[in-house]
Amino acid sequence: MKKSLCLLLLTLFILSCQSDNKKVTASTNEINKTELDIKNLNKVIVSDLNKNNETENFFELIAEEETSIDFINKVNVDEYKNFKSYPQIYNGAGVSVGDINNDGLPDIYLAGNSVKDRLYLNKGNFKFKDITEESGIGKENYGWSFGVNMIDINADGYLDIYVCKAGPYKEEKYLRNRLFINNGDGTFNEEAQKYGLNVLGFSVQSAFFDYDLDGDLDVYIANHPPTEVKKGGAKNLTKLVDEIKKGILRTDEFYENVNGKFINKTKEANLLNYGYKNSLIVSDINKDGFPDLYVCSDYSQPDLYYLNNGNKTFTNIINENLEHITYNSMGSELSDINNDGFLDIYVTDMAPSDHIKSKVFMASMDTKKFHSFVDHGMHYQYMLNTLQLNNGDNTFREIGQLAGIDKTEWTWASLFLDIDFDGNKDLFITNGIKENTNDNDLNEKLKSRQKELKKPTLSFEEFMEVVPKMITPNQVYKNNGDLTFTNTSSNWIDNNNFNSNGAAYADLDNDGDLDLVLNNMDAVASVYENKSEERSSGNLIAIKLKGPKSNPFALGAKISIPFENKTIYHEHYTSRGYLSSTGYKIIIGLGSEKIIPELIIDWNDGTTSIINDLEVNKEYGISYDKTTKTAIESSVVTNKMIQRYFQKI
């Protein structure tokens, strides 16, 4: 019996070895057969590379000495300017990425709180030059910046820069938003007043979009109140809600572009609201051709889902179409996470995954207060990240806990991008707070310190010494393709000793994948090189859109790539995540697909362009054209995997 068993095991072992040998031979033969087919060769190469690089990070942090980006977003506090006098003082600032001089390389604008904003010119190979002063940006660069957006506001083919201002100030000059108009020669002029956008409203972030489909870009500006309304129970809610409905309490502003001048149409568009806004996103969520809005509110004021009615008005339908939402809404993102062709909504909170931290850092749910909010029409709000899965009929199922991304620490930005090019959009988030003034044990710690120092009260400096300080790493989640995500932070990104707020992605080195730029608090801004082009096994397509004359960067265009069992879908808006705007080149992961049978572009005016049989791993420049509808301007290989392979063998 033992001999038979040994003989059986030996036979199985030999068969296994033969099977492995066949696999190796098949792989070798495949390479030999596809010497003239560069796409298939690329697939085999990267599969082998992945086996050897399973634990290597996709995102590698580039040292400050290499990038020459030395910007540090500082927040200076004192006994007059602190979290009590200005609750948003530790909310951080954003970053915007865009090619300001049209040389093909995305440049970087970093917003500052207690420090000046900085503009960096991309010189190639992750080398940057600080041009803040020589560009003219530095002249009007005072005040507290929050969100930043690169858009071509005057449709001259050059990206301009819109900066939202707020902060712990009373002086008007510090609080008005800035608009830096690109002169096309490396310099900018501040012209917010000329365009009607020198808004005074404690602005957080802007989103530019063509709400009435007349061809030009309009703008929604999310704000927060100048002072904090006292938090109270149900007896104060009726008055609060009534004042909001009457427009007595209001925050956000909406401006329509009328012949190049922005006119306030907040009331006419039915966009009067109130709340401590943190972020906003825009896309055609219900796919009726008109762009809609999702606006995130902190504290008890609920988020807003504004459906564009197509007649220059909006209707907030969040109570009817979403069953419950996030309470302390921070960052947000609209992205199709399951490739069904419909946009899903992700909103972040400050929800620790650790049980002890959740008890120490988070406020307790007050049942009476919760139901009082609901009774006053303020929705069912929970202290969790929410992932609203689009049912395809403009209703949603909330699946954050099922997906495994409901608790991601103190989270600000959320960005969906296909990191490993498997055809599914992964999730990157930024985390951290400089001073955790929400610590539920803070009062006890203060009493202990008073006793230790034998003082009835503490000075401001002594008080701040007691407030807990921590670093919370950023996180990356892999999309598994089955509505669940896996935390891959330990082997997908170099994490470091800083807290991050705003974040943006762009192809900084033109190699066909998306790199990251992070605005950190009290630490040097981070630039991460994406190594997907050499470590992923999937294919991709890169697209640069050229829109019509009044919208040359084609904001609002919709890209659909239908396959037999899925549709990869993307809407071209750059304001997303948290206080930030991303690069304009669109990079879409395709997984194992080796050819694109059909690429559909829906332009804002209803024109549809269909391009058939596109090769993968190439970059295409696609233009809107009234006569020919579509022109493919260029097609160049951007994927460096093949080059890297031949360098190694």
Side-chain angles (χ1 to χ4, degrees):
M1 183 67 181
K2 289 182 179 179
K3 289 182 179 180
S4 299
L5 181 60
C6 290
L7 183 61
L8 177 61
L9 292 172
L10 179 61
T11 303
L12 290 172
F13 175 76
I14 293 171
L15 289 173
S16 174
C17 291
Q18 290 175 343
S19 176
D20 287 343
N21 287 334
K22 287 180 181 178
K23 288 179 182 177
V24 173
T25 304
S27 178
T28 304
N29 288 338
E30 188 173 355
I31 292 175
N32 292 334
K33 289 179 181 178
T34 58
E35 286 177 343
L36 300 179
D37 187 349
I38 208 76
K39 299 184 296 297
N40 291 335
L41 174 58
N42 179 45
K43 176 73 175 177
V44 176
I45 294 168
V46 183
S47 295
D48 291 338
L49 285 175
N50 275 350
K51 293 175 184 177
N52 298 323
N53 294 287
E54 289 178 353
T55 59
E56 291 190 40
N57 293 328
F58 281 107
F59 290 110
E60 292 187 357
L61 183 63
I62 304 178
E64 172 193 344
E65 293 74 20
E66 293 184 42
T67 65
S68 297
I69 293 179
D70 57 356
F71 174 82
I72 299 176
N73 183 30
K74 289 185 176 295
V75 173
N76 301 325
V77 297
D78 56 35
E79 58 184 317
Y80 304 107
K81 295 178 181 178
N82 52 60
F83 73 95
K84 288 186 176 180
S85 62
Y86 188 63
Q88 292 79 20
I89 201 161
Y90 295 132
N91 283 20
V95 54
S96 185
V97 185
D99 183 3
I100 61 169
N101 59 348
N102 293 339
D103 67 349
L105 294 169
D107 310 299
I108 298 172
Y109 188 102
L110 289 155
N113 295 148
S114 296
V115 297
K116 278 189 174 184
D117 304 355
R118 303 273 283 279
L119 178 62
Y120 290 90
L121 192 69
N122 191 337
K123 306 298 288 184
N125 198 29
F126 291 102
K127 309 290 185 185
F128 294 85
K129 178 186 177 183
D130 186 342
I131 61 166
T132 307
E133 298 306 325
E134 65 185 77
S135 68
I137 295 286
K139 294 178 182 177
E140 295 284 339
N141 209 334
Y142 45 81
W144 191 284
S145 298
F146 268 117
V148 57
N149 226 321
M150 284 194 187
I151 52 356
D152 185 3
I153 207 160
N154 54 1
D156 66 349
Y158 287 92
L159 288 174
D160 311 299
I161 304 170
Y162 190 62
V163 185
C164 288
K165 294 286 185 175
Y169 302 107
K170 294 181 180 179
E171 299 90 343
E172 183 178 311
K173 69 174 184 177
Y174 294 122
L175 297 172
R176 288 200 177 275
N177 295 348
R178 308 289 200 279
L179 172 59
F180 297 104
I181 295 295
N182 194 330
N183 297 317
D185 59 0
T187 66
F188 292 79
N189 292 335
E190 202 291 306
E191 299 183 7
Q193 184 174 2
K194 174 183 174 181
Y195 283 82
L197 289 175
N198 59 332
V199 177
L200 180 64
F202 288 85
S203 298
V204 173
Q205 179 58 317
S206 61
F208 288 81
F209 61 106
D210 184 5
Y211 92 116
D212 51 359
L213 306 186
D214 66 348
D216 55 28
L217 297 177
D218 314 293
V219 62
Y220 186 101
I221 302 175
N223 304 321
H224 68 70
T227 55
E228 187 175 10
V229 174
K230 291 183 179 180
K231 300 173 185 178
K235 64 180 181 180
N236 296 321
L237 276 179
T238 302
K239 181 181 178 183
L240 175 65
V241 172
D242 185 56
E243 288 181 343
I244 293 171
K245 289 180 178 178
K246 291 179 179 179
I248 298 172
L249 286 175
R250 56 179 291 185
T251 47
D252 298 358
E253 305 281 356
F254 174 72
Y255 291 82
E256 181 183 343
N257 188 337
V258 181
N259 299 321
K261 184 83 172 182
F262 287 83
I263 309 300
N264 193 321
K265 294 292 184 71
T266 313
K267 184 176 181 180
E268 293 86 341
N270 194 35
L271 292 172
L272 290 175
N273 62 66
Y274 174 83
Y276 292 81
K277 307 305 167 47
N278 277 324
S279 65
L280 75 158
I281 33 178
V282 56
S283 278
D284 182 7
I285 304 174
N286 67 339
K287 302 190 79 168
D288 67 349
F290 289 88
D292 311 300
L293 289 160
Y294 192 95
V295 186
C296 288
S297 297
D298 207 342
Y299 309 126
S300 59
Q301 282 74 41
D303 295 351
L304 304 162
Y305 172 14
Y306 280 124
L307 185 71
N308 191 330
N309 299 316
N311 60 359
K312 294 196 174 187
T313 69
F314 293 79
T315 301
N316 180 23
I317 60 170
I318 198 159
N319 284 16
E320 296 81 9
N321 291 51
L322 278 70
E323 294 180 348
H324 64 263
I325 59 176
T326 296
Y327 186 86
N328 302 295
S329 297
M330 315 288 264
S332 51
E333 173 75 303
L334 273 167
S335 185
D336 180 11
I337 61 104
N338 60 336
N339 293 332
D340 65 352
F342 294 95
L343 293 172
D344 311 300
I345 306 169
Y346 185 61
V347 179
T348 64
D349 203 314
M350 42 187 188
S353 56
D354 178 83
H355 178 72
I356 294 176
K357 282 198 292 184
S358 68
K359 298 301 180 186
V360 174
F361 299 160
M362 296 291 288
S364 300
M365 291 293 292
D366 185 325
T367 305
K368 184 177 179 181
K369 190 176 181 180
F370 175 87
H371 288 292
S372 179
F373 288 155
V374 173
D375 292 340
H376 282 80
M378 300 176 77
H379 218 341
Y380 297 88
Q381 301 178 75
Y382 298 93
M383 296 179 186
L384 294 169
N385 303 344
T386 52
L387 176 59
Q388 310 282 356
L389 189 70
N390 196 326
N391 293 322
D393 59 0
N394 204 30
T395 65
F396 298 81
R397 289 167 288 167
E398 202 286 295
I399 62 165
Q401 294 179 69
L402 168 69
I405 52 175
D406 58 310
K407 296 180 179 181
T408 54
E409 308 306 324
W410 196 303
T411 300
W412 301 102
S414 57
L415 294 171
F416 283 101
L417 64 158
D418 190 352
I419 298 170
D420 56 357
F421 293 143
D422 66 350
N424 299 308
K425 298 177 183 69
D426 310 299
L427 173 63
F428 171 77
I429 60 173
T430 61
N431 277 325
I433 187 76
K434 178 180 177 179
E435 310 278 357
N436 186 15
T437 56
N438 283 6
D439 190 323
N440 290 321
D441 295 331
L442 183 56
N443 286 335
E444 294 300 319
K445 293 174 182 176
L446 290 171
K447 289 178 183 178
S448 177
R449 184 60 172 161
Q450 286 173 315
K451 186 176 180 180
E452 179 184 340
L453 296 176
K454 298 179 180 179
K455 286 186 173 183
T457 57
L458 298 177
S459 67
F460 177 76
E461 290 76 13
E462 291 166 342
F463 173 85
M464 293 305 297
E465 288 175 0
V466 178
V467 175
K469 301 169 182 59
M470 67 191 72
I471 299 295
T472 307
N474 302 317
Q475 295 185 15
V476 184
Y477 288 83
K478 174 180 170 55
N479 187 335
N480 299 317
D482 58 1
L483 301 182
T484 69
F485 291 75
T486 300
N487 192 327
T488 54
S489 306
S490 60
N491 59 354
W492 274 29
I493 187 169
D494 288 337
N495 255 314
N496 218 308
N497 196 34
F498 47 71
N499 292 320
S500 303
N501 303 109
Y505 57 68
D507 187 3
L508 296 175
D509 55 348
N510 285 330
D511 66 348
D513 55 27
L514 294 170
D515 311 295
L516 291 173
V517 183
L518 312 183
N519 196 336
N520 305 320
M521 186 165 289
D522 286 351
V524 177
S526 305
V527 176
Y528 282 91
E529 180 182 3
N530 191 338
K531 296 289 187 177
S532 297
E533 87 283 349
E534 65 181 69
R535 291 176 187 157
S536 69
S537 58
N539 296 315
L540 63 96
I541 181 173
I543 301 168
K544 281 188 175 181
L545 295 177
K546 184 178 180 181
K549 185 178 180 180
S550 57
N551 181 14
F553 287 85
L555 280 181
K558 304 163 187 174
I559 297 175
S560 301
I561 306 177
F563 294 101
E564 186 176 346
N565 60 348
K566 65 182 178 183
T567 296
I568 299 177
Y569 181 70
H570 176 81
E571 289 200 21
H572 185 45
Y573 289 103
T574 57
S575 180
R576 55 182 65 243
Y578 179 70
L579 308 181
S580 303
S581 60
T582 61
Y584 277 83
K585 183 193 292 186
I586 301 161
I587 296 177
I588 297 173
L590 302 169
S592 60
E593 305 293 344
K594 297 178 181 177
I595 196 167
I596 299 171
E598 187 176 64
L599 186 142
I600 304 168
I601 299 176
D602 292 310
W603 307 91
N604 283 4
D605 64 356
T607 302
T608 298
S609 302
I610 301 176
I611 309 169
N612 299 111
D613 301 324
L614 291 175
E615 295 182 27
V616 300
N617 297 329
K618 287 191 175 182
E619 177 178 317
Y620 296 90
I622 304 175
S623 295
Y624 172 93
D625 189 289
K626 283 280 186 181
T627 303
T628 62
K629 295 296 183 287
T630 298
I632 300 180
E633 297 175 335
S634 61
S635 175
V636 295
V637 175
T638 60
N639 198 324
K640 291 185 178 179
M641 288 187 278
I642 299 164
Q643 299 174 20
R644 292 176 186 272
Y645 171 74
F646 284 114
Q647 288 173 359
K648 291 180 180 180
I649 60 175

